[in-house]
């Protein structure tokens, strides 16, 4: 496969090792939509030594919040986050599943109290692969 | 935190086996004391709230009776009529406010997870008396207590759960609580009312699933009502209601010494003529609810 190169970003975040085909979901998680004004570069289905194929996303002038990192863990649990400053990688971290997802995931059980009361949802990790979450309130897994 | 003073009881999975056994030991003491008319009023001067957002007879009355036996006063409501819930008050606000008036809360609510939310809001102990189709831990404790009392053990029993295994929270909690013991289970239901996968996959005991009411080898036949109120499609309810009916004729093929249990209320799934058979235990089972709820209330309020 021919090598694909993208121009470096000055400041921002590069999310690497996103499972192939999940890049668009990652953009949604990051809130990148048609109103987003900074540079976004997207590579899909490129070669990866670790996983065979992968997606890569570069977003200029963006640093992920804790909530965004937690959301990212749901769609790309093995991704790598590179913080870029002045064209250099300043920090590189692997996405880690948090012990608990708070206020991020909606409970799929329509009878769960979280779908009726003003309360943040809370999910614990039931299994990592595939990711399965357990609602703290109604105790269902999804 | 180990189950005791200040604890909540929200889900049967909150309890370890030794804690379940400790509740049984305490319940036995209360059972003996009630029968001897010598109950110590360990909750004298305390106030317990009975917040039943949904209909109940046995659980509500046995909980109130448990508190009364122990000397506590009971305040609360049964049904939301006449409460601020009708004006749109949230559950959190209701609990926050009630918590200022009382020392412990019994709660039943139609939504799954409502009791857990109540326990997060309240500073005082919260005892779940049924949250939607999720959990009903004191019912599970009294079910296990009844089996243990009748057979002197739970290990080794073959237990059939019959009827509405999809919506019946008692059979969900019971099937999971039985993971603490070595039993054989039989799930008897119409295909549309099967035990949900999210429960089924957590059951560690061997399970046989069947549509046929075959109870020949079972020690315990645990029958449940088809829960009309949980069906969104009443046509579906009409199709499945009355498919299993325990009659003296059915019990002729039952194992000697086997018992029939039911969390009650029954509709027509156990014939009235079964009441007089030596197998019937559902009223004794309901009676055990008093001792279990005394034990749980005493444990969370006195340690």
């Amino acid at each position: 496969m021919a090598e694909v190169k993208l121009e470096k970003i000055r400041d921002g975040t590069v999310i690497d090792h996103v499972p192939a085909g999940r890049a668009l979901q990652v953009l949604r998680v990051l809130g990148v939509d048609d109103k987003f004004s900074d540079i976004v570069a997207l590579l899909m289905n490129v070669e990866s030594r670790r996983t065979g194929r992968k997606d890569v996303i570069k977003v200029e002038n963006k640093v992920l919040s804790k909530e965004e990192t937690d959301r990212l863990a749901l769609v790309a649990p093995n991704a790598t986050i590179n913080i870029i400053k002045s064209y250099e990688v300043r920090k590189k971290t692997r996405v880690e599943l948090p012990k608990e997802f708070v206020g991020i995931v909606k409970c799929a059980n329509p009878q769960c109290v979280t779908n009726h009361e003003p309360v943040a949802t809370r999910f614990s990790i039931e299994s990592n692969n595939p990711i399965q979450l357990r609602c703290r309130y109604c105790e269902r897994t999804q | 935190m180990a189950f005791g003073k200040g604890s909540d009881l929200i889900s049967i999975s909150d309890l370890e086996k030794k804690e379940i056994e400790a509740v049984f030991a305490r319940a036995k003491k209360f059972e003996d004391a009630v029968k001897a008319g010598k109950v110590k009023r360990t909750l004298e001067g305390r106030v317990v709230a009975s917040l039943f957002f949904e209909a109940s007879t046995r659980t509500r009355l046995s909980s109130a009776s448990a508190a009364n036996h122990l000397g506590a006063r009971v305040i609360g409501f049964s049904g939301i009529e006449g409460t601020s819930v009708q004006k749109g008050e949230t559950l959190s606000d209701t609990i926050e406010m009630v918590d200022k008036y009382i020392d412990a809360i019994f709660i039943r609510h139609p939504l799954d997870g409502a009791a857990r939310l109540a326990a997060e809001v309240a500073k005082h102990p919260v005892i779940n008396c049924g949250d939607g189709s999720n959990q009903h831990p004191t019912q599970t404790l009294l079910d296990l207590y009844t089996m243990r009392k009748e057979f002197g053990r739970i290990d080794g029993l073959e237990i059939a759960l019959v009827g509405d295994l999809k919506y019946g929270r008692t059979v969900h909690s019971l099937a999971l609580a039985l993971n603490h013991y070595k039993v054989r289970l039989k799930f008897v239901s119409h295909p549309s009312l099967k035990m949900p996968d999210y429960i089924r996959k957590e059951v560690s005991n061997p399970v046989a699933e069947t549509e046929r009411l075959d109870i020949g080898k079972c020690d315990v036949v645990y029958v449940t009502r088809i829960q009309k109120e949980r069906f969104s499609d009443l046509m579906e309810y009409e199709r499945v209601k009355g498919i299993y009916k325990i009659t003296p004729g059915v019990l002729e093929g039952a194992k000697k010494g086997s018992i029939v249990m039911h969390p009650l209320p029954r509709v027509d799934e156990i014939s009235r003529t079964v009441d007089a058979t030596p197998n019937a235990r559902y009223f004794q089972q309901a009676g055990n609810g008093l001792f279990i709820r005394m034990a749980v209330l005493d444990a969370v309020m006195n340690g």
Side-chain angles (χ1 to χ4, degrees), chain B residues 46-68:
Chain B
R46 318 280 279 278
V47 179
V48 174
S50 170
L51 310 182
F52 278 67
F53 293 80
E54 195 181 55
S56 163
T57 307
R58 271 152 301 282
T59 308
R60 184 170 60 84
L61 294 180
S62 63
S63 300
S65 178
N68 279 303

Side-chain angles (χ1 to χ4, degrees), chain A residues 9 11-16 18 25-32 36 39-40 57-76 79-85 91 93-96:
Chain A
I9 54 173
D11 299 306
T13 302
V14 176
I15 304 167
D16 201 355
V18 172
Q25 282 185 60
V26 171
L27 287 186
R28 269 198 296 276
V29 160
L30 302 183
V32 174
F36 196 82
I39 295 170
V40 178
I57 296 124
K58 299 184 177 191
V59 188
E60 198 160 54
N61 296 325
K62 172 128 189 126
V63 177
L64 269 56
S65 66
K66 165 82 171 72
E67 189 184 320
E68 285 168 331
T69 310
D70 287 353
R71 283 177 188 269
L72 181 63
L74 282 174
V75 291
T80 315
I81 300 172
N82 301 283
I83 309 289
I84 311 294
K85 282 199 177 141
K91 196 177 169 194
T93 51
R94 281 283 282 271
V95 168
E96 281 181 6

Side-chain angles (χ1 to χ4, degrees), chain B residues 96-232:
Chain B
E96 180 90 45
M97 180 265 306
V98 169
D99 194 42
K100 310 261 185 290
Y101 306 152
I102 48 77
D103 301 294
I105 296 172
F106 284 115
I107 184 171
R108 169 170 290 191
H109 198 281
L111 291 174
D112 302 349
R116 181 74 68 192
L117 176 60
E120 285 177 354
V121 174
K123 291 186 176 67
H124 293 105
V126 172
I127 298 167
N128 183 8
C129 290
D131 59 330
S133 58
N134 185 31
Q135 284 275 336
H136 193 352
T138 59
Q139 177 72 44
T140 307
L141 288 168
L142 77 89
D143 291 341
L144 294 173
Y145 182 71
T146 302
M147 291 178 201
R148 195 192 159 105
K149 201 165 125 180
E150 293 296 329
F151 295 96
R153 65 189 163 91
I154 296 173
D155 285 322
L157 296 180
E158 181 153 343
I159 300 163
L161 305 181
V162 180
D164 184 352
L165 308 187
K166 181 179 178 183
Y167 297 108
R169 63 189 160 208
T170 58
V171 284
H172 298 171
S173 297
L174 182 57
L176 296 180
L178 284 166
N179 285 347
H180 290 301
Y181 302 91
K182 287 187 168 41
V183 298
R184 274 163 296 143
L185 292 170
K186 184 173 269 189
F187 294 165
V188 183
S189 73
H190 183 271
S192 67
L193 292 175
K194 276 174 72 171
M195 187 68 83
D197 282 345
Y198 69 90
I199 300 287
R200 177 73 181 78
K201 67 185 181 192
E202 289 184 35
V203 171
S204 60
N205 283 300
V207 176
E209 285 189 270
T210 167
E211 198 179 336
R212 205 162 62 86
L213 184 58
D214 172 16
I215 54 168
K217 289 180 182 166
C218 296
D219 301 289
V220 178
V221 181
Y222 191 102
V223 188
T224 59
R225 175 176 64 94
I226 310 286
Q227 304 209 15
K228 186 179 180 181
E229 67 275 23
R230 310 229 184 261
F231 278 79
S232 53

Side-chain angles (χ1 to χ4, degrees), chain A residues 109-114 116-119 122 126 132 134 136-141, chain B residues 11 13 90-92 110-114 116-117 120 131 133-135 198 201-202:
Chain A
N109 171 11
Q111 283 304 305
C112 178
V113 71
T114 57
H116 299 265
E117 287 275 323
V119 56
R122 290 171 67 177
E126 190 73 5
Q132 198 171 43
R134 182 180 294 278
R136 170 175 167 80
Y137 296 95
C138 72
E139 304 184 18
R140 304 271 179 98
T141 54
Chain B
S11 171
S13 47
T90 64
L91 174 64
S92 304
L111 291 174
D112 302 349
R116 181 74 68 192
L117 176 60
E120 285 177 354
D131 59 330
S133 58
N134 185 31
Q135 284 275 336
Y198 69 90
K201 67 185 181 192
E202 289 184 35

Side-chain angles (χ1 to χ4, degrees), chain B residues 261-282:
Chain B
M261 295 173 64
H262 191 302
L264 301 178
R266 65 176 156 176
V267 181
D268 55 5
E269 57 277 4
I270 299 179
S271 158
R272 299 284 182 275
T273 50
V274 170
D275 297 0
T277 67
N279 311 80
R281 287 295 186 288
Y282 26 93

